[in-house]
Amino acid sequence: QVQLVESGGGLVQAGGSLRLSCAASGRVFGFNVMGWYRQCPGKERELVASITSGSITIGPRTNYADSVKGRFTISRDYAKNTVSLEMNGLKPENTGVYYCNLEQRTYGRVLWGQGTQVTVSS
């Protein structure tokens, strides 16, 4: 079974940058979506960014929360089974635990990583 391991979280000052990475331990096949979610204490987990697997004629499609558009970039490396989130221009409001998510729609499977803490100081 595929397992997800996140890395790259930490403490950064406002305006700084961080790069989160998520590595899948096994092969990821079929139509799938990988993404990053953020969760704050007492609040629901919310989507930050996601990226789909590509098709023969259409490349991967991305989706971003309005609050991070233009600052965050999600990408994936199919050969290395990784998905990354480049976060630039970080703000204190971006603080939270970031979870890597994999939705294998072809097989109806959803997996979550253990989360990595991101703290942005003002």
Side-chain angles (χ1 to χ4, degrees):
Q1 295 183 355
V2 176
Q3 292 185 336
L4 305 176
V5 180
E6 303 106 329
S7 63
L11 174 65
V12 65
Q13 293 183 344
S17 300
L18 283 174
R19 183 180 178 86
L20 305 182
S21 295
C22 175
S25 62
R27 179 183 178 185
V28 180
F29 53 90
F31 181 77
N32 62 87
V33 182
M34 297 191 73
W36 288 94
Y37 288 72
R38 181 180 70 96
Q39 186 168 27
C40 298
K43 298 182 179 180
E44 295 183 349
R45 197 170 297 180
E46 298 182 343
L47 175 69
V48 177
S50 65
I51 182 168
T52 69
S53 55
S55 66
I56 297 175
T57 58
I58 302 176
R61 295 185 176 183
T62 58
N63 185 39
Y64 297 92
D66 290 340
S67 61
V68 306
K69 288 182 178 178
R71 297 188 295 117
F72 291 12
T73 302
I74 189 169
S75 62
R76 64 189 296 174
D77 187 325
Y78 296 94
K80 297 181 179 179
N81 288 331
T82 60
V83 61
S84 299
L85 183 68
E86 182 71 31
M87 304 185 294
N88 299 311
L90 284 164
K91 304 175 181 180
E93 65 190 50
N94 297 135
T95 293
V97 178
Y98 285 71
Y99 296 88
C100 181
N101 170 264
L102 168 62
E103 182 182 358
Q104 294 181 280
R105 295 183 177 178
T106 302
Y107 305 96
R109 300 172 182 171
V110 179
L111 291 84
W112 293 94
Q114 294 300 309
T116 183
Q117 177 70 43
V118 172
T119 303
V120 183
S121 62
S122 60

